[in-house]
Amino acid sequence: MIPFDFEYDRPGTVGEALTVFRQLDAEQKNPMFFGGGTEIISMARMGNVKTGAVVDLKAIPECRVFEYDKDRLLIGSALTLSDLVEAKRFPLLDHTAGRVADHTMQCKITFGGNLASTIIYRETVLPLLLADAVVTVATQGGLRDYKITQIFRERLQLPRGEFIVRASIEKRWLSAPYIHVKKTKNEKVDYPLLTVACLKADDKIRMAFSGLLPYPFRDLQWENLMNDKSLSFPERAEQISALAAPHLLNNLDGSAEFRKFVLNNTLIKVLQTLKGV
Amino acid sequence: MFRIKEKSILHLNVNGEDREVVARPSDILLDTLRNQLALTGAKPGCENGDCGACTVIVDGWPIKSCLMLTAEAVGKKITTVEGLKNAPVQKAFIEKFAFQCGYCTSGFLMACHALAQKHPNPPDYVIDEWLQSNICRCTSYEEIGEAIRVVLSQKQ
């Protein structure tokens, strides 16, 4: 049971969502956009979040799109992670989404909700960072397209009252060689000790991580080392691990030292699987 | 736009029937099913989306009803364990002794039933992934796995 009341709004269009959010904000109701709602509900139950209104985005057709438009795949923010997994259109995203929480939760968590999560992992952003995704945002001035790196730095950086409508990916990335590795402390269903997602294109490996730092990221310096043909696979892994070591998370899920060990071994596996460069 | 500002009469479709409930916008589906409709098959366990004891099927997908607002369920088709009515998976659970205390059973039944409907011929890893959503503290996992495989084999 959630120990306080709030208003529930389910707009049917982008315009309605923006308008109702603005009205609720003016009424001092501290509204929140609501995707799958798993995080809001669980945190509200515990008293860790308080709101006077939620604006459910799942009935907006533009947020439910999952189709090709010329040379791009459009992925609506209100699709559930199960929708992504079942459709099998972007294998790296399918695998990433399929390892977030457990299967039944994937039937409720939305793509946009995972990107906007306050929990630090936000793993579905990894394929977007690698594939130079373009994200369409609903703003008071209409729909606007941004490069993923313009609006996602450590976490989603959108002005209050704006929300993600969809992401789009160039088709060429959908069939690129990839690998996704998620390591957890113990159980398969858990937060990541580390998650690494990689795409290979033009003979270069792109890689992005979650679980190592308090936010997901892609680091070009690490990528340059990963693609440095003058180094052996273990040398590349060791140098990246050394760079990472001072910054690694050190918590109950795993010590920084253990994360460094796992990172080193995982990078070697990635290089072997993708046949290096 | 669908809007609920306060405690209101809501219309839900549960187990094929249109039902009226009185719910606050912040009410959880699990509580509404149990307290207003006396459908107590969905069990409160962790109430945090971890255990799966409260699993119901919404528009064909297994959903943890502790993490769904009642208001969200308006316009959707909800199936609880009471709506299965001698489904093959229930028979298989009995034949394979796939429960001990029984508290998690309705949640497992719903996950297994949804799996059989969505994926009549799934590879083993898909069965494992779907079943990892539910916890049985009596550890009947082996028997539960056997039961769902019996149902799936009958579908082939």
Side-chain angles (χ1 to χ4, degrees):
Chain A
M1 170 183 169
I2 296 175
F4 59 87
D5 290 323
F6 54 70
E7 175 178 334
Y8 175 86
D9 293 277
R10 192 196 299 161
T13 66
V14 170
E16 278 183 354
L18 292 166
T19 302
V20 74
F21 191 96
R22 195 171 60 232
Q23 288 169 349
L24 292 165
D25 221 15
E27 294 169 22
Q28 309 283 313
K29 288 195 170 173
N30 185 30
M32 292 181 171
F33 287 120
F34 186 98
T38 55
E39 190 173 311
I40 291 178
I41 293 171
S42 57
M43 291 178 74
R45 189 182 63 81
M46 298 291 288
N48 293 328
V49 70
K50 188 95 191 276
T51 179
V54 297
V55 180
D56 188 344
L57 301 174
K58 294 194 290 291
I60 299 173
E62 291 92 331
C63 296
R64 302 275 321 159
V65 69
F66 202 9
E67 62 193 28
Y68 298 101
D69 179 29
K70 298 177 184 161
D71 65 336
R72 303 189 77 87
L73 173 65
L74 309 183
I75 309 166
S77 61
L79 295 171
T80 65
L81 301 187
S82 288
D83 290 332
L84 304 182
V85 173
E86 296 279 332
K88 301 188 192 311
R89 290 185 184 163
F90 180 14
L92 179 58
L93 183 59
D94 306 344
H95 275 83
T96 308
R99 287 299 311 277
V100 174
D102 63 45
H103 178 270
T104 306
M105 294 290 277
Q106 289 160 19
C107 297
K108 190 75 166 49
I109 297 170
T110 60
F111 176 45
N114 185 254
L115 293 174
S117 172
T118 62
I119 299 170
I120 63 173
Y121 303 106
R122 309 175 194 111
E123 288 165 88
T124 55
V125 79
L126 303 182
L128 305 190
L129 292 171
L130 298 177
D132 301 326
V134 170
V135 179
T136 302
V137 176
T139 75
Q140 295 297 341
L143 297 184
R144 291 187 61 182
D145 289 342
Y146 295 94
K147 291 178 185 171
I148 181 68
T149 48
Q150 288 178 291
I151 61 157
F152 195 100
R153 293 180 298 281
E154 300 185 5
R155 61 180 301 165
L156 198 58
Q157 312 271 352
L158 288 183
R160 184 163 175 73
E162 298 187 355
F163 62 91
I164 294 179
V165 174
R166 62 173 180 260
S168 73
I169 306 281
E170 267 186 83
K171 269 186 185 173
R172 69 187 177 106
W173 292 111
L174 308 183
S175 56
Y178 73 95
I179 183 170
H180 171 271
V181 181
K182 178 170 180 173
K183 299 284 189 184
T184 57
K185 180 181 180 183
N186 189 4
E187 299 288 333
K188 184 178 177 188
V189 177
D190 201 352
Y191 292 126
L193 197 59
L194 81 82
T195 294
V196 57
C198 301
L199 278 174
K200 188 176 178 184
D202 304 326
D203 223 21
K204 290 198 181 243
I205 295 171
R206 295 176 168 211
M207 57 184 188
F209 297 87
S210 173
L212 289 179
L213 307 183
Y215 47 83
F217 66 97
R218 177 182 172 198
D219 186 300
L220 297 183
Q221 189 184 4
W222 292 20
E223 271 181 21
N224 288 338
L225 280 170
M226 195 71 165
N227 291 299
D228 187 341
K229 290 180 182 172
S230 68
L231 301 172
S232 68
F233 289 175
E235 285 171 337
R236 297 181 209 184
E238 196 169 316
Q239 290 195 22
I240 293 168
S241 302
L243 271 180
H247 311 289
L248 294 174
L249 280 175
N250 186 22
N251 56 25
L252 281 176
D253 288 329
S255 66
E257 191 63 22
F258 183 53
R259 277 192 164 87
K260 182 185 174 196
F261 171 78
V262 175
L263 172 63
N264 191 78
N265 290 346
T266 305
L267 290 175
I268 292 172
K269 179 183 175 183
V270 166
L271 283 161
Q272 289 169 340
T273 305
L274 292 177
K275 305 283 191 288
V277 290
Chain B
M1 180 163 69
F2 179 65
R3 167 177 283 180
I4 313 170
K5 292 175 90 73
E6 57 198 10
K7 197 169 193 178
S8 313
I9 296 174
L10 302 180
H11 298 269
L12 299 180
N13 185 288
V14 186
N15 299 330
E17 296 178 6
D18 291 326
R19 306 289 299 268
E20 278 188 357
V21 297
V22 178
R24 300 179 306 145
S26 59
D27 277 344
I28 299 302
L29 180 62
L30 171 66
D31 295 335
T32 302
L33 291 171
R34 292 178 60 84
N35 301 335
Q36 297 233 1
L37 299 178
L39 296 170
T40 55
K43 303 297 184 196
C46 67
E47 296 188 67
N48 195 45
D50 295 320
C51 74
C54 66
T55 303
V56 299
I57 297 174
V58 178
D59 285 350
W61 294 100
I63 295 287
K64 291 173 180 175
S65 60
C66 71
L67 288 183
M68 185 169 204
L69 300 176
T70 304
E72 277 186 277
V74 172
K76 299 186 180 300
K77 293 191 181 305
I78 305 158
T79 306
T80 69
V81 72
E82 291 89 345
L84 290 190
K85 300 195 172 116
N86 299 319
V89 69
Q90 291 171 297
K91 186 165 179 276
F93 265 58
I94 293 167
E95 287 177 352
K96 293 294 176 184
F97 299 100
F99 48 83
Q100 291 180 54
C101 82
Y103 198 80
C104 70
T105 305
S106 51
F108 267 107
L109 284 170
M110 301 316 286
C112 290
H113 186 72
L115 171 60
Q117 301 297 311
K118 289 283 182 191
H119 292 285
N121 187 20
D124 269 356
Y125 81 88
V126 170
I127 299 172
D128 291 343
E129 280 179 357
W130 280 59
L131 294 187
Q132 277 172 349
S133 303
N134 295 62
I135 292 172
C136 170
R137 293 296 76 173
C138 308
T139 67
S140 294
Y141 298 112
E142 196 67 30
E143 293 81 1
I144 292 167
E146 286 177 23
I148 182 61
R149 284 175 172 82
V150 165
V151 174
L152 295 170
S153 66
Q154 289 167 353
K155 280 188 165 275
Q156 288 165 29

